[in-house]
Amino acid sequence: MTMTNAGGRRRPPTIHDVAREAGVSRGTVSRVLNGGHYVSPAAQEAVNAAIRRTGYVVNRHARSLITGRSDSIGFLLTEPQERFFEDPNFNVLLRGCTQALAAHDIPLLLMLAGTEDERRRITRYITAGHVDGVLLVSSHSGDPVAEQLREAGVPLVACGKPIGLGSKVSYVAADDRDGARDMVKHLVSLGRRRIGMVTGPLDTPGGVERLAGYREVLAEAGIEADDRLITSGDYSRASGEAGAEQLLDRAPDMDAVFVASDLMAQGALTALHKAGRRVPEDVSVGGFDDSTAAISATPALTTIRQPYDRISTEMVRVLLAQIGGEEPAAVILPTELVRRDST
C-alpha cells in the first residue's frame, strides 16, 4: 500500500495508517508494538496484518525515547580481533544469535574487546544504555567485564559458565565435561592407553571442564595420569600444533591425543604429519566443537558436537526473558560424539 502526502509524494506509513487499516485505535496499535499486553488475539492479528499491508516500520528512535530502551542487543567477544576471523565457532554463534533476534525484529551489534582499553571503552558504551542487554562470548577468569555489567544492572547472558560468578550471571553452555568424557572413553575403547591432551585456556570454563572430564575417564579406566601428556593451548591452530609437538617430545609413545577444539586439532594433525606419525594408525586424534575445521581436516576429525544452533537460540531466549524482568537462569545442553576418520 502506497502512502502519499498532499503534494502527491510517497511518505512512509505511520502508526495512524496502521490503526486506520486495522480498524482499531492508535493505542491498540501501540500496545501491540510494545508486546501485545491487554490486546485481544483478534485485534493483534488485525494490527499485524495491517503492518504487513502498509509496510509500516517502527521508528526505533522515537520508541526508545518513550520506553527508555535502545531496542538493540550487543554481541560482545572479549578476544583479540584476529580470533574472531580465525575461529569458525564465533561466526556460527553470531549468525545464530542474529537470526534468533531477527524473529523479534531486534538488531544485534557486534562488539570486539580484546584489550583492556577496548573492554573499558565497550563497558562504558554498554552501561550508558546504548544496548538493552549483552550476549557475552569467551569470558576469562579475571576479566572484569561480566562483573561490571552485572553490577551496573545490564541484562547479560554468557556463553559458558563465567568462572567465579556462579549463579549471579545467566549462562548457556554445552556440557563440556560430559563431552570430554565421551571422547576419552571412545579413545580408551580403541585400546589407546597413552592418551595426551591439548587443553583450552585454563582460565575459561571450557578449558577447565574438558580437562576435568579427561582426567576422570583415565582414572575410571585405571590409566595412571601423566602430566607429561598434558599441555595447554589458546584454541588457535598454532597453539594446537605447538602443543602436539610438546607432547611428542615429552612422550614419544603417545598413541592418542584429545585436543580441546577442532581448530587446535588441525594444528595437532600438522605436527603429527611432520613427525611422521600416521593418523589414526599410530596416533588417534579427537577434537571438540564439530566446526567446519573438523570436516576440512585431513583426515576428517572425530569430534564432540556442540549444539551451536540451540546455544544461540537459548542465549537469546534467556536474555530477552531477563530484559523482561525474569531472574538469571542457567541452561546446559548435551553434546554428541561424532566419529570420523581420525580415530
Side-chain angles (χ1 to χ4, degrees):
M1 178 176 292
T2 301
M3 305 296 170
T4 59
N5 58 23
R9 290 178 297 181
R10 296 179 63 182
R11 63 171 177 78
T14 68
I15 193 171
H16 300 285
D17 298 317
V18 174
R20 184 171 57 252
E21 180 72 17
V24 299
S25 70
R26 181 186 180 281
T28 297
V29 176
S30 180
R31 286 193 293 275
V32 170
L33 294 174
N34 286 285
H37 303 294
Y38 310 112
V39 179
S40 70
Q44 182 154 345
E45 175 54 34
V47 171
N48 288 332
I51 289 172
R52 291 192 294 270
R53 288 196 297 270
T54 61
Y56 174 73
V57 177
V58 175
N59 184 329
R60 294 188 180 278
H61 176 67
R63 189 164 77 178
S64 69
L65 294 176
I66 298 171
T67 64
R69 291 183 179 177
S70 70
D71 281 334
S72 61
I73 298 297
F75 183 96
L76 176 56
L77 177 62
T78 56
E79 291 284 356
Q81 290 189 16
E82 57 269 19
R83 289 292 312 284
F84 174 75
F85 296 102
E86 180 189 25
D87 193 327
N89 297 325
F90 296 142
N91 287 280
V92 172
L93 282 170
L94 177 62
R95 183 174 65 248
C97 291
T98 300
Q99 291 172 345
L101 284 168
H104 300 274
D105 196 28
I106 299 175
L108 185 65
L109 305 182
L110 172 61
M111 303 173 179
L112 302 178
T115 68
E116 184 176 340
D117 285 343
E118 288 171 346
R119 287 190 284 273
R120 189 160 44 244
R121 286 194 297 271
I122 289 294
T123 301
R124 283 201 305 266
Y125 179 84
I126 292 170
T127 54
H130 293 293
V131 296
D132 294 327
V134 173
L135 302 166
L136 177 63
V137 180
S138 189
S139 178
H140 297 255
S141 64
D143 178 355
V145 171
E147 178 64 21
Q148 289 171 354
L149 295 179
R150 187 191 70 83
E151 290 179 350
V154 177
L156 170 71
V157 176
C159 182
K161 183 178 181 179
I163 295 176
L165 291 179
S167 60
K168 297 178 181 179
V169 172
S170 293
Y171 66 90
V172 178
D175 194 332
D176 291 296
R177 184 177 299 213
D178 193 60
R181 287 178 56 85
D182 285 344
M183 177 57 73
V184 181
K185 284 180 182 178
H186 173 61
L187 296 174
V188 170
S189 74
L190 299 175
R192 308 295 180 166
R193 290 297 180 270
R194 294 290 286 167
I195 303 171
M197 182 174 183
V198 182
T199 77
L202 295 180
D203 61 348
T204 63
V208 171
E209 290 297 307
R210 293 171 201 178
L211 176 59
Y214 162 86
R215 289 186 181 278
E216 286 174 359
V217 172
L218 290 187
E220 291 166 5
I223 300 174
E224 185 177 355
D226 186 343
D227 287 341
R228 292 176 300 171
L229 285 166
I230 301 172
T231 190
S232 62
D234 62 6
Y235 291 139
S236 70
R237 178 171 179 156
S239 73
E241 182 173 353
E245 289 174 348
Q246 291 174 12
L247 295 179
L248 287 170
D249 183 60
R250 297 176 190 168
D253 59 341
M254 180 176 70
D255 59 11
V257 59
F258 169 38
V259 190
S261 82
D262 293 340
L263 196 60
M264 287 199 301
Q266 277 194 338
L269 289 172
T270 298
L272 290 166
H273 176 73
K274 288 179 179 178
R277 305 299 175 89
R278 299 170 301 164
V279 177
E281 292 85 355
D282 300 326
V283 181
S284 292
V285 178
F288 203 107
D289 292 330
D290 196 29
S291 66
T292 55
I295 300 170
S296 62
T298 304
L301 279 169
T302 292
T303 187
I304 297 297
R305 176 174 294 155
Q306 295 203 62
Y308 282 114
D309 288 345
R310 288 190 63 194
I311 290 172
S312 300
T313 301
E314 286 298 299
M315 287 180 69
V316 168
R317 182 189 65 79
V318 171
L319 182 61
L320 294 181
Q322 193 173 335
I323 291 171
E326 294 188 16
E327 293 297 314
V331 179
I332 299 177
L333 299 172
T335 58
E336 178 187 356
L337 176 66
V338 179
R339 295 176 176 85
R340 295 195 180 97
D341 298 333
S342 66
T343 60

